[in-house]
Amino acid sequence: PDELEISPNPTTGKLTIGNSQSPVNEIDLFNLLGEKVPAAVDCKLLTVDCSLLPPGIYILQASGEGKVWRGKVVKE
């Protein structure tokens, strides 16, 4: 299936995003209020550095080739 893999989750620092079926061109992180959260994103390496974010639950959104994937991220 064409799913987004996020690991490690929960995290204390850097997340790795994987998708075996489609390329990911953009990655965004949102808080539960729907506000975009500044995070160090590397779309080429498919990583997000969450180390400076406060603990909580975030929504990761990745997109590519007209597809959008969302997943819950827990920052400890």
Side-chain angles (χ1 to χ4, degrees), residues 2 4 12 17 20 22 35 38 42-43 51 54-55 62 71:
D2 193 7
L4 192 65
T12 56
I17 293 91
S20 59
S22 302
E35 300 164 332
D42 187 328
C43 286
S51 59

Side-chain angles (χ1 to χ4, degrees), residues 4 6 9-10 18 22-24 26 34-36 40 52 56 58 63-64 67 70 76:
L4 192 65
I6 304 169
N9 194 7
S22 302
V24 173
E26 187 174 342
E35 300 164 332
K36 191 172 177 179
L52 298 179
Y58 297 88
S63 59
K67 297 180 181 180
R70 289 181 185 88
E76 294 183 329

